[in-house]
């Protein structure tokens, strides 16, 4: 059996199982960890959205990014819109498909600006066309919105490009934007949810993407089921190989007596035929000579008798 279990084909299968099973187990724990992280993100989002609004200065500092634990908190600010330094963020989803988000600095009464995402606008006929953006409300306004940390390649998968039309960016890189503005800028940015007074026309409000624990927990169970299936398949194949080897061995050992028995039967048959063919010949030989020896004697007797009869007759 060891020869079967350690054949070249079975060794390859053993190696495959040794690679797959630990990988499936690890992937299951990885998905379970992701489920925990997503669950924590859901709890953080819900609790921060339910928290009372606070001034933006309490949660954001100039030159510092927003603490991830403060994401989605509602912050408030009062100031005036600086539409001259307005920026359009490309490839943003809205009710009409892919368009732009309008990012406008709000210069507060203290002279520090906060970047505010006023909402989504539809793009032009081509991706390079400048979209129509509703003008911002003039004068002093009070705004409130959800706080976010700066967008980077690591947390978005996006990358700013240098070949874009002027005034357009791929993501909210606060440090890059702040470097071109004539005033200090708070870290992070805000998705606008409310302003007073409201303009007659405004971009479409940014939709809140709710965090979801998703299917990570069920994916973890699936990976572990795959590991069990792999082990079960390995056991099944090993048992089948051993069974086939035993059946083949039994077939080979059983063939020799059968062949020997057939040979003996054929030999016996040939011997019997030869014996039967020989016996009549021997019998014929035995009968032939006795009859020929008796023949002359009988002939002599007959001749003698004949001679006697002839003699007596003559006499």
């Amino acid at each position: 059996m060891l020869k079967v279990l350690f054949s070249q084909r079975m060794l390859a299968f053993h190696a495959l199982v040794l690679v797959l099973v630990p990988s499936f187990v690890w992937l299951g724990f990885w998905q379970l960890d992701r489920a925990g992280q997503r669950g924590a993100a859901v709890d953080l989002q819900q609790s921060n959205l339910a928290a009372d609004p606070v001034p933006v200065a309490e949660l954001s500092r100039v030159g510092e990014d927003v603490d991830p634990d403060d994401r989605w908190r509602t912050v408030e600010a009062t100031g005036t819109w600086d539409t001259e330094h307005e920026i359009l963020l490309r490839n943003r989803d809205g009710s009409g498909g892919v368009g732009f988000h309008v990012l406008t600095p709000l210069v507060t009464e203290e002279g520090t600006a906060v970047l505010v995402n006023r909402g989504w606008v539809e793009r032009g006929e081509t991706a390079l066309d400048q979209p129509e953006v509703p003008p911002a409300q003039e004068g002093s306004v009070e705004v409130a919105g959800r706080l976010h940390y700066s967008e980077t390649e690591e947390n978005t998968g996006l990358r700013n490009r240098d070949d874009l039309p002027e005034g357009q960016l791929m993501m909210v890189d606060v440090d890059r934007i702040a470097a071109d503005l004539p005033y200090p800028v708070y870290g992070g940015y805000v998705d606008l949810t409310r302003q007073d007074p409201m303009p007659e026309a405004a971009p479409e409000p940014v939709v809140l993407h709710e965090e979801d624990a998703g299917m990570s927990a069920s994916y973890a169970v699936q990976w572990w089921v795959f590991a069990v299936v792999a082990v079960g398949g390995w056991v099944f194949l090993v048992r089948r190989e051993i069974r086939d080897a035993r059946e083949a061995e039994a077939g080979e050992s059983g063939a020799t007596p059968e062949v020997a028995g057939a040979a003996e039967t054929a030999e016996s048959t040939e011997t019997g035929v030869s014996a039967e063919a020989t016996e009549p010949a021997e019998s014929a030989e035995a009968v032939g000579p006795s009859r020929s020896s008796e023949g002359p004697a009988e002939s002599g007797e007959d001749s003698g008798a004949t001679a006697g009869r002839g003699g007596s007759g003559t006499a």
Side-chain angles (χ1 to χ4, degrees):
M1 295 303 102
L2 292 178
K3 183 178 180 181
V4 175
L5 294 178
F6 291 97
S7 64
Q8 185 175 1
R9 184 167 68 91
M10 289 302 296
L11 285 175
F13 185 69
H14 297 332
L16 180 63
V17 172
L18 288 175
V19 171
L20 290 181
V21 171
S23 299
F24 291 162
V25 173
W26 178 84
L27 286 170
F29 281 108
W30 175 68
Q31 288 288 356
L32 192 64
D33 182 65
R34 283 178 58 86
Q37 293 176 3
R38 290 182 174 180
V42 171
D43 295 339
L44 177 65
Q45 184 185 55
Q46 291 177 350
S47 62
N48 283 355
L49 289 173
D52 295 332
V54 297
V56 65
E58 289 190 15
L59 301 179
S60 183
R61 300 288 186 275
V62 175
E64 298 179 10
D65 204 357
V66 171
D67 189 331
D69 290 338
D70 293 328
R71 188 183 183 193
W72 296 295
R73 285 290 302 272
T74 300
V75 294
E76 297 175 329
T78 301
T80 56
W81 296 112
D82 180 12
T83 55
E84 291 184 3
H85 295 94
E86 196 167 69
I87 295 172
L88 297 177
L89 303 173
R90 297 175 61 87
N91 295 337
R92 303 292 167 137
D93 293 331
S95 61
V98 178
F100 295 86
H101 279 177
V102 182
L103 190 71
T104 310
L106 179 75
V107 183
T108 65
E109 297 173 347
E110 293 79 16
T112 305
V114 56
L115 300 177
V116 179
N117 184 354
R118 295 200 293 128
W120 178 88
V121 294
E122 190 175 0
R123 73 172 194 176
E125 293 183 0
T126 68
L128 298 179
D129 290 340
Q130 193 74 7
E132 295 183 6
V133 179
Q137 180 71 28
E138 295 183 357
S140 179
V141 295
E142 295 179 0
V143 302
R146 298 182 294 266
L147 185 64
H148 294 278
Y149 44 71
S150 180
E151 293 183 342
T152 64
E153 293 185 23
E154 290 74 20
N155 60 34
T156 64
L158 301 175
R159 182 176 60 86
N160 275 324
R161 294 157 41 189
D162 296 329
D163 59 343
L164 298 177
E166 185 178 357
Q168 296 186 14
L169 292 176
M170 296 297 298
M171 60 184 180
V172 188
D173 185 344
V174 176
D175 291 338
R176 176 174 177 174
I177 296 171
D180 296 330
L181 297 178
Y183 34 71
V185 178
Y186 286 115
Y189 69 99
V190 175
D191 282 342
L192 182 66
T193 58
R194 174 178 57 83
Q195 70 170 331
D196 185 28
M198 280 290 295
E200 295 181 1
E204 180 181 295
V206 177
V207 177
L208 172 67
H209 293 285
E210 296 184 1
E211 292 293 319
D212 184 9
M215 303 292 291
S216 295
S218 63
Y219 291 157
V221 175
Q222 290 180 11
W223 283 119
W224 291 334
V225 170
F226 292 158
V228 173
V229 170
V231 173
W234 175 79
V235 172
F236 173 79
L237 183 61
V238 168
R239 294 183 64 181
R240 190 186 69 177
E241 290 294 317
I242 293 175
R243 183 193 64 197
D244 292 346
R246 286 176 177 172
E247 291 178 354
E249 183 178 352
E252 292 177 358
S253 61
T256 303
E258 293 177 359
V259 172
E264 290 177 359
T265 302
E267 184 177 355
S268 301
T269 303
E270 291 177 357
T271 304
V273 172
S274 300
E276 292 176 357
T278 306
E279 287 177 359
E282 291 177 350
S283 302
E285 290 177 358
V287 172
S290 62
R291 285 179 179 177
S292 56
S293 59
E294 290 176 358
E298 292 176 355
S299 300
E301 292 177 357
D302 293 341
S303 300
T306 303
R309 287 194 299 267
S312 72
T314 303

